[in-house]
Amino acid sequence: MKKSLLFLLLLIFNLITLESSAQTTLTVFDEIRFYDGYAGVVNQPVPNGVIRHRNDLYAKKLSAAELLAFGSTMSLNITIKADCDNYDRIGNVNLAFAPKDATNYDTNTVPKIELARFITPFMNKNIAPFQVPYVFNVDNIAKIFKDPQLIAAYDFWIELQVFGVPYAAQTQVAGCAGINSVFFGTLTLVSNSSTFTSSNNFLFPLNFQKYMNNYQAGASDAIGQTVRTISVNLPDDIDNASFYLITSNHGANSGGEEYNRRWHYIYFDNLITPILTYKPGETSCEPYRVYNTQGNGIYGTTPRTDAVWQSFSNWCPGYNIPIRKLDMGIITAGNHNFRISVPTAVFAGGEGYFPISLYMQGTGSSLGLESPTYVEYSIFQNPSSDFITIDTNDEINAITVFNTLGQKVYQGNEKQISTSNFSQGLYVLQIEFENKIVVKEKILKN
C-alpha cells in the first residue's frame, strides 16, 4: 500500500513538473540582416511573411495559431550578431496593431507600443564572441495576445528595429570594405503552454519613441526645459493600472547626455512630489566587456571600478535598457497628467535627445485598445520678457494666466500672449483645449 501511494505521488509530481515546464518557443526573426540606416531601402529578399519597412525595421504578423499556443507568461529573447557596424547602437522590439487581414501596414500611423530596448556592443565580427544575447520578461504582453476583443479588432505584428551605419567599420574591420550591412538579428518569443484567456484589457499607447530635448520646438513642454507632459482624458475608471516607461539618453558627445547620468523625475497629476526618481545606468559595465571586442569602444584596456562607471556611463553597450513599471492601482475617469523631467540635462552644441516610450495597461469597462484623448504642445520663450507662444496643432478653447495670488491677469484663446504689461515674477498658464483637456504650466516674466 505504501509503495502504491508513493508511486502515485511521484506520478502526480512528474505530471505537474511536465505541465509547468512545457513551453512554446516561436522564432519570429532568424538572423535577419539589417542595413545602413541612412541609405535608401535595399532591394534584398526577405523571409516569407516578413516586411522590410526600412533598412533598420522588419515586421512579421503573429498568426492565430501562434497566439493560441501562447500561455500566461512571455519573454523576449534577442540575439544580435556582428556584421559591419562596430559601434554601440539602439535596438528596439515593438508591437504594432494593424488592420485585420492586411498584408502590409503603415508603420508610422498604426498604434504601436515599444516592448523592449537594448544597446548593441562595440563588436568586431572577426573576434569572438560574435553575438550578444538579451532577455526581457514581458508577462503583461501575454494578456494582450490572449484578449479576444483585441484579437477580433487587430492583427499583431512584431517589429525588430536595429539602427546602424557601416562607415567606420568599412575602414576599421577586415572584410567590411564596401559592405553596407550592419547587424544580424534573431528574435524569439518564449511562453508557457498553459491554457489562458485574458479579457477587459485597457491599453493606451501614450508616447512611442518620441525624442525629448530642450532646444527644439515640440521636443519638450518649453524651450530650455527638458520636460514632457503627456495629458490624457480617460473615459472610464481603470483598474490595476500600470505605466510602462522606457528612456535612454543619447548623443551630445562627451559634454552632453550620452556619458552623464542625470536625475530623472516622474510625476503623475501631483507635479510637486515625484512618484519615481532614478538615474540611468548600471552599477558596472564590466559584465558586458566580453561582448565589446572592438577597440574603439568605451571600455579601455583594463577593468574600471564601479565608481568610475557610475561617474560617466548611463548605458552599457551590450545590455538591456530597463522597462520601468509604475503600478498605479485605480485611476479614475477624467483628465490626468504624466510628466517626465530631467532638469539638469545638457545638450552640448544643440545635440542629443532622450527617446521616450510610454504606454498604460489595465482593466476597465471600456475594452480593447483605446485611442486616448491627448494633447501635444510646447511653450516658448519661457522665461519671457515680451511674448509667450503656445506651439500646438490642437484646438484651444481658452487660455488663462493667473498670478501667484490666484488673480486672473489674462484670458483669451490666442496662441501668442503679450507679457509686456506683466510685472516680473511667476505666473500660472492654464490652457483648456477643445477636447476638454486642461493643462497648467508655470511661466516666468523677466
Side-chain angles (χ1 to χ4, degrees):
M1 181 64 182
K2 288 183 179 181
K3 289 184 178 180
S4 298
L5 180 59
L6 178 61
F7 175 78
L8 180 60
L9 290 173
L10 287 173
L11 178 62
I12 293 172
F13 175 78
N14 287 333
L15 288 173
I16 292 174
T17 301
L18 287 172
E19 173 66 22
S20 62
S21 62
Q23 66 179 28
T24 295
T25 300
L26 171 66
T27 300
V28 183
F29 303 103
D30 185 10
E31 289 201 1
I32 200 157
R33 199 168 195 173
F34 293 86
Y35 295 86
D36 181 357
Y38 288 129
V41 179
V42 298
N43 184 22
Q44 297 290 340
V46 295
N48 186 42
V50 172
I51 294 173
R52 179 188 288 119
H53 286 295
R54 304 187 304 260
N55 287 350
D56 69 318
L57 182 65
Y58 291 94
K60 187 175 183 181
K61 180 167 65 177
L62 299 179
S63 70
E66 290 165 346
L67 293 173
L68 185 63
F70 292 145
S72 58
T73 65
M74 182 66 60
S75 68
L76 292 171
N77 295 344
I78 306 153
T79 301
I80 299 300
K81 182 179 175 182
D83 199 4
C84 287
D85 187 343
N86 55 345
Y87 274 79
D88 56 337
R89 311 293 183 185
I90 293 180
N92 317 80
V93 179
N94 314 315
L95 176 59
F97 300 87
K100 291 292 291 184
D101 301 322
T103 57
N104 204 335
Y105 64 94
D106 186 346
T107 186
N108 297 312
T109 60
V110 301
K112 294 202 292 187
I113 58 176
E114 184 175 350
L115 303 183
R117 186 181 300 177
F118 53 91
I119 305 296
T120 69
F122 293 81
M123 287 192 292
N124 185 317
K125 71 174 186 175
N126 303 309
I127 304 174
F130 309 108
Q131 58 190 30
V132 56
Y134 308 87
V135 178
F136 295 86
N137 179 281
V138 288
D139 286 348
N140 62 299
I141 302 304
K143 297 179 181 179
I144 297 173
F145 288 159
K146 305 296 284 189
D147 186 287
Q149 288 85 11
L150 288 172
I151 292 172
Y154 300 96
D155 282 333
F156 302 149
W157 291 72
I158 296 294
E159 296 182 344
L160 182 58
Q161 178 180 1
V162 187
F163 184 91
V165 293
Y167 314 135
Q170 287 173 347
T171 60
Q172 297 172 358
V173 177
C176 285
I179 302 298
N180 70 336
S181 54
V182 290
F183 298 106
F184 296 91
T186 298
L187 169 64
T188 60
L189 297 174
V190 181
S191 176
N192 62 18
S193 299
S194 62
T195 302
F196 172 63
T197 301
S198 174
S199 61
N200 295 353
N201 277 289
F202 198 63
L203 185 64
F204 287 75
L206 295 174
N207 204 80
F208 179 75
Q209 295 180 7
K210 289 186 177 180
Y211 290 172
M212 180 174 72
N213 58 48
N214 66 4
Y215 58 89
Q216 291 177 315
S220 62
D221 289 356
I223 294 289
Q225 299 179 19
T226 310
V227 58
R228 169 165 290 157
T229 303
I230 302 167
S231 301
V232 296
N233 190 353
L234 299 179
D236 301 291
D237 292 356
I238 307 301
D239 298 326
N240 308 308
S242 297
F243 288 107
Y244 293 84
L245 174 68
I246 302 177
T247 67
S248 56
N249 310 0
H250 189 66
N253 303 310
S254 59
E257 290 313 300
E258 190 164 350
Y259 301 112
N260 291 281
R261 297 188 181 191
R262 318 284 189 188
W263 282 109
H264 291 50
Y265 301 92
I266 308 299
Y267 303 87
F268 184 71
D269 286 348
N270 179 352
L271 302 182
I272 298 175
T273 304
I275 60 173
L276 175 66
T277 302
Y278 67 92
K279 276 188 178 181
E282 297 282 275
T283 300
S284 171
C285 290
E286 288 302 324
Y288 312 96
R289 176 182 289 273
V290 63
Y291 302 113
N292 286 263
T293 55
Q294 177 68 29
N296 63 333
I298 65 173
Y299 279 81
T301 57
T302 58
R304 303 176 189 264
T305 66
D306 291 359
V308 170
W309 282 117
Q310 293 166 32
S311 70
F312 82 99
S313 171
N314 65 42
W315 70 38
C316 298
Y319 97 129
N320 302 349
I321 298 293
I323 304 169
R324 303 184 192 275
K325 181 186 178 187
L326 290 77
D327 292 320
M328 306 300 296
I330 299 175
I331 301 180
T332 58
N335 291 322
H336 297 278
N337 292 301
F338 183 101
R339 175 171 291 186
I340 177 170
S341 176
V342 191
T344 60
V346 175
F347 298 94
E351 296 181 4
Y353 48 85
F354 295 3
I356 299 173
S357 284
L358 176 72
Y359 67 92
M360 174 184 167
Q361 189 175 2
T363 57
S365 57
S366 294
L367 306 180
L369 177 67
E370 294 294 326
S371 297
T373 304
Y374 66 94
V375 293
E376 292 187 353
Y377 65 95
S378 60
I379 299 169
F380 60 94
Q381 298 286 324
N382 186 22
S384 172
S385 57
D386 296 313
F387 291 96
I388 289 288
T389 300
I390 302 166
D391 183 16
T392 180
N393 292 323
D394 295 288
E395 295 297 324
I396 293 176
N397 278 345
I399 299 170
T400 310
V401 180
F402 301 91
N403 62 21
T404 54
L405 298 177
Q407 298 168 327
K408 188 184 302 182
V409 298
Y410 171 86
Q411 187 165 27
N413 61 4
E414 297 296 326
K415 294 181 180 179
Q416 188 174 74
I417 304 166
S418 173
T419 60
S420 58
N421 293 327
F422 289 13
S423 301
Q424 289 186 348
L426 188 66
Y427 294 83
V428 175
L429 172 68
Q430 177 179 291
I431 311 169
E432 179 186 333
F433 290 89
E434 191 178 59
N435 58 17
K436 304 304 181 184
I437 285 182
V438 178
V439 298
K440 294 180 179 180
E441 297 287 348
K442 294 177 182 179
I443 59 175
L444 182 64
K445 166 63 188 298
N446 285 336

